Amino acid sequence: MIEEGSKSSKSMVEKRQLFMEMRAQNFDVIRLSTYRTACKLRFVQKRCNLHLVDVWNMIEAFRDNGLSTLDHNAEINVSRLETILSSIFYQLNKRLPTTHQINVEQSIGLLLNFIVATYDSEGHGKLTVFAMKAMLATMCGGKILDKLRYIFSQISDSNGVMVYAKFDQFLREVLKLPTAVFEGPSFGYTEHSVRTCFPQQKKILLNTFLDVLMADPPPQYLVWLPLMHRLANVENVFHPVECSYCRSESMMGFRYRCQQCHGYQLCQSCFWRGHASGPHSNQHQMKEHSSWKSPAKKLSHAISKSLGCMPIGEPPHPVFPEAAERPQDLAHTTQLRPVANNMNDTVLISSGTPTPSKSTLESPSRLDEEHRLIARYAARLAAEASNSTQCPPTDLSFNFDANKQQRQLIAELENKNREILQEIQRLRLEHEQASQPTPEKAQQNPTLLAELRLLRHRKDELERRMSALQESRRELMVQLEGLMRLLKDEEQKQASQTGSSPHSSPSHSASCTMPMPIRSTSAGSTPTHTPQDCLAGVGDDVLDAFSQGVPRNLRNDLLVAADSITNTMSSLVKELHSVDDGLEDEEENMRNGREKVSSLKHPGKRQSTPSF
């Protein structure tokens, strides 16, 4: 009993795991029910790894498990459903590279619990074959056109006309998906759903069915289905535009541009949550963009459109023949085997119904050509099958020639596709090379860089030396001015004093008031200094004039000192001239260095390169 209780509790936890993870994504903050439903179902699709299973692989799995021969209303139990899901995911792991393998057991458990919660809410342990086919064909990966063609083959009669009762059954089953993710009030099934999709009771063929479900906008009850596929296509689309609300410098996914506010654009997160700023309002009409086009591309697109170089109003899908669309059960095909075309492509080869190849660099025109080729080939096969009993043996050569032409056409299309891929790769490389900054050629010459650094250092050193010499010159001028002032003071004292010797006192005061050495910052010295301290660093003539306290004429002594200072100034001026000449030589060397750098940057220009 304890083991049974633990198993049941574990099963309940597994059933709720997917819904708990979905609630953690906080999708309910999205204000628009269409985007909210599409985001939730896209999350379920990716979490269960259904986005990796193509619709053609899903059809093949139905055939391998014998579902193609069962009636739509036949019931299967949960254990058989688990077996079918196991075959789907184990075959998926065989197709995937080893570095991208999935957890098969986890994927089976999550998807099985989601299907049971969606289609067996009452706990009967059974569900119909048609319900399982409709759910898996809708939630798997692949193109929406291929999905709708398969669904039409399941709800049409032998004449290729849609049966309204079967379409009503399809809507009943597929609209359980929004209800399972708690969006039933917006997209739940009602009795008027069929009339909403096809208001006029008339004969519905394949092209009409595709026109209605792939229209813009699609029917209200299925508007989330094409949106889910658009979400898958724009998940990695980059828009180099700043969001006008959150100020994010780039956008991923959808981009919305206001039709009334000039230059107002929102990222998908801000638009889904109803954010607005400035004069913009949520009531304004917004245009959804799923790609980014530069101004140059927009201009070329407008010019091509105005000149009639590109078709206007292309149909949303290729036009298929009016013959009956056969059910896509692949009953006469062999097991698909992956054949490596290149590193990124895998082509699925079969001997019956042709399957489209998946390429990482497919253009819309290439896809349209493939669809037209498939439709033409299917129509020709149907015509050959109907006339096979009436054709004599002589028609074998004609059939062989037709098959040969088809093979040649396929080969030509493959060569054209290969050339387009090579051209795209070449343009991408050229764009990457153009976007990279070109390094300066001077950086590739270390000798020239070393010479430039040496010249710059020599220039800085000469500028510092010249500044020091100018400061010394200023100090000498200040000291000379102090000497002249002292001379005038002593002459005034001699004129005012009487009875004193004209040589003794002036010589005594002069010997005590001589200026400091040249590097001193004061204009004179104090009377407490000794003559040796006052005359330190002065010329021989000044020392002779003021040594041993011998009284001499003050005017002559000052003239001698001034003459000594003048000689010092002359030598300083000569040194400054030599420094100026050195600076001019260094400037000339630097100018030659710059010319050499310019010649290295522009090797095409002919100019003389001075040598250092």
Side-chain angles (χ1 to χ4, degrees):
M1 295 295 293
I2 297 175
E3 293 180 357
E4 292 179 358
S6 62
K7 289 182 179 179
S8 62
S9 62
K10 182 179 179 181
S11 177
M12 292 297 295
V13 171
E14 291 178 351
K15 289 181 180 179
R16 295 177 180 177
Q17 178 182 356
L18 184 62
F19 295 100
M20 293 173 62
E21 293 179 359
M22 185 178 64
R23 288 182 182 274
Q25 298 296 321
N26 199 19
F27 290 122
D28 291 330
V29 299
I30 302 176
R31 64 187 182 96
L32 300 176
S33 60
T34 304
Y35 288 96
R36 189 168 60 245
T37 305
C39 288
K40 289 181 179 180
L41 293 177
R42 175 62 178 170
F43 172 78
V44 174
Q45 182 190 46
K46 295 181 65 176
R47 188 66 181 86
C48 298
N49 291 316
L50 277 175
H51 67 293
L52 301 176
V53 183
D54 191 80
V55 61
W56 300 100
N57 303 125
M58 190 65 71
I59 299 172
E60 178 68 16
F62 295 159
R63 184 192 66 83
D64 291 341
N65 289 275
L67 299 179
S68 301
T69 58
L70 294 179
D71 187 76
H72 284 175
N73 296 323
E75 293 183 343
I76 58 174
N77 53 23
V78 177
S79 61
R80 186 173 182 184
L81 174 61
E82 185 176 2
T83 303
I84 297 171
L85 298 181
S86 300
S87 66
I88 292 173
F89 286 112
Y90 278 113
Q91 289 295 328
L92 172 63
N93 252 358
K94 291 180 181 179
R95 295 189 297 269
L96 293 176
T98 56
T99 56
H100 293 76
Q101 296 288 308
I102 64 171
N103 189 341
V104 175
E105 298 297 332
Q106 184 182 18
S107 301
I108 294 173
L110 291 174
L111 183 56
L112 180 63
N113 291 325
F114 179 75
I115 294 177
V116 171
T118 303
Y119 294 97
D120 189 25
S121 58
E122 298 179 358
H124 296 302
K126 294 182 179 181
L127 68 158
T128 63
V129 173
F130 185 74
M132 190 195 65
K133 285 185 176 181
M135 183 271 172
L136 293 178
T138 303
M139 293 295 293
C140 69
K143 304 178 182 65
I144 186 173
L145 178 65
D146 298 332
K147 292 183 180 182
L148 294 177
R149 288 184 62 195
Y150 172 73
I151 291 170
F152 184 81
S153 68
Q154 300 297 308
I155 62 175
S156 58
D157 56 13
S158 59
N159 297 322
V161 180
M162 187 189 75
V163 179
Y164 279 89
K166 291 184 178 181
F167 180 70
D168 181 75
Q169 185 182 2
F170 167 72
L171 286 182
R172 190 188 302 271
E173 301 298 341
V174 80
L175 290 180
K176 291 180 181 179
L177 293 173
T179 305
V181 293
F182 315 106
E183 297 296 334
S186 300
F187 301 103
Y189 172 80
T190 62
E191 297 179 355
H192 306 286
S193 301
V194 178
R195 296 181 182 179
T196 304
C197 297
F198 299 99
Q200 298 179 0
Q201 298 291 334
K202 61 181 181 179
K203 184 179 178 180
I204 304 299
L205 299 177
L206 174 60
N207 293 319
T208 308
F209 180 79
L210 296 177
D211 289 339
V212 172
L213 295 187
M214 297 185 67
D216 188 17
Q220 179 62 30
Y221 287 95
L222 295 175
V223 67
W224 50 270
L225 181 58
L227 179 59
M228 186 176 68
H229 287 79
R230 294 206 308 271
L231 279 175
N233 294 332
V234 302
E235 282 182 347
N236 299 320
V237 174
F238 175 77
H239 303 269
V241 181
E242 181 182 8
C243 178
S244 300
Y245 182 83
C246 65
R247 298 301 177 185
S248 176
E249 296 182 355
S250 60
M251 301 181 189
M252 295 293 293
F254 286 119
R255 172 172 55 92
Y256 298 90
R257 182 166 56 88
C258 182
Q259 300 298 296
Q260 299 182 22
C261 303
H262 177 70
Y264 194 90
Q265 302 190 77
L266 293 175
C267 61
Q268 67 177 17
S269 178
C270 293
F271 175 75
W272 290 352
R273 286 158 176 78
H275 294 162
S277 61
H280 178 70
S281 172
N282 291 329
Q283 305 300 324
H284 291 180
Q285 185 179 3
M286 302 291 286
K287 185 177 181 180
E288 183 182 274
H289 295 272
S290 58
S291 62
W292 164 256
K293 291 183 180 179
S294 62
K297 288 185 178 180
K298 291 180 181 179
L299 179 60
S300 62
H301 181 81
I303 293 175
S304 301
K305 190 174 181 180
S306 62
L307 295 177
C309 300
M310 57 183 302
I312 300 176
E314 294 183 353
H317 62 86
V319 179
F320 296 96
E322 294 296 335
E325 182 76 5
R326 293 185 177 184
Q328 304 289 334
D329 55 359
L330 303 182
H332 303 286
T333 60
T334 59
Q335 179 67 28
L336 299 181
R337 58 185 186 276
V339 178
N341 190 14
N342 50 35
M343 293 299 294
N344 297 325
D345 301 341
T346 301
V347 181
L348 301 178
I349 300 178
S350 65
S351 60
T353 304
T355 60
S357 61
K358 293 186 291 185
S359 176
T360 57
L361 292 175
E362 289 182 338
S363 61
S365 59
R366 171 65 177 169
L367 296 178
D368 294 338
E369 291 177 359
E370 288 180 355
H371 287 302
R372 294 190 186 97
L373 180 61
I374 291 170
R376 190 185 305 115
Y377 187 49
R380 184 166 296 177
L381 287 177
E384 291 175 359
S386 61
N387 298 329
S388 59
T389 57
Q390 302 176 1
C391 291
T394 55
D395 293 337
L396 294 177
S397 59
F398 174 77
N399 294 335
F400 178 77
D401 294 339
N403 293 334
K404 185 177 180 181
Q405 293 178 0
Q406 292 173 2
R407 287 195 296 270
Q408 291 178 354
L409 178 61
I410 293 173
E412 291 176 0
L413 293 176
E414 290 179 351
N415 292 332
K416 183 179 180 181
N417 185 32
R418 194 178 299 109
E419 293 176 358
I420 292 174
L421 294 179
Q422 293 176 357
E423 183 68 16
I424 292 174
Q425 187 67 18
R426 184 183 65 81
L427 293 175
R428 184 178 297 171
L429 292 176
E430 291 180 358
H431 177 69
E432 292 177 355
Q433 292 176 1
S435 61
Q436 292 179 355
T438 305
E440 296 183 358
K441 295 184 179 180
Q443 296 180 357
Q444 301 176 2
N445 192 344
T447 305
L448 182 59
L449 289 176
E451 292 180 357
L452 290 176
R453 284 194 294 267
L454 182 61
L455 289 174
R456 192 179 294 109
H457 178 71
R458 178 62 177 167
K459 177 185 177 183
D460 296 338
E461 183 180 356
L462 291 174
E463 288 178 352
R464 289 194 297 269
R465 185 177 176 187
M466 184 173 181
S467 299
L469 292 174
Q470 289 178 353
E471 184 65 22
S472 301
R473 181 179 180 184
R474 186 186 63 80
E475 293 176 357
L476 289 174
M477 296 300 294
V478 171
Q479 292 179 3
L480 182 60
E481 184 179 359
L483 289 175
M484 296 301 294
R485 189 165 46 250
L486 289 175
L487 179 60
K488 291 180 181 180
D489 293 342
E490 292 300 328
E491 287 180 353
Q492 292 176 0
K493 289 181 180 180
Q494 288 179 2
S496 61
Q497 292 178 359
T498 56
S500 60
S501 175
H503 298 285
S504 60
S505 61
S507 63
H508 177 70
S509 63
S511 63
C512 295
T513 58
M514 282 299 293
M516 290 294 291
I518 294 176
R519 294 294 179 183
S520 175
T521 58
S522 62
S525 62
T526 59
T528 58
H529 289 176
T530 60
Q532 288 78 8
D533 295 334
C534 296
L535 299 176
V538 188
D540 295 335
D541 295 336
V542 179
L543 289 176
D544 294 338
F546 295 98
S547 63
Q548 298 179 0
V550 180
R552 295 180 61 180
N553 189 291
L554 182 59
R555 183 184 298 274
N556 294 334
D557 294 339
L558 291 176
L559 291 175
V560 171
D563 186 47
S564 177
I565 292 174
T566 303
N567 294 333
T568 304
M569 289 295 298
S570 300
S571 62
L572 178 61
V573 170
K574 292 179 181 179
E575 188 172 358
L576 288 175
H577 283 301
S578 65
V579 170
D580 292 338
D581 295 336
L583 286 174
E584 292 179 357
D585 295 337
E586 296 299 334
E587 290 178 356
E588 182 66 24
N589 292 335
M590 291 182 67
R591 189 182 302 108
N592 294 334
R594 287 194 295 268
E595 293 178 356
K596 179 179 287 186
V597 173
S598 177
S599 65
L600 289 175
K601 289 183 178 179
H602 308 283
K605 296 182 179 180
R606 296 183 179 179
Q607 57 180 4
S608 61
T609 305
S611 60
F612 290 93

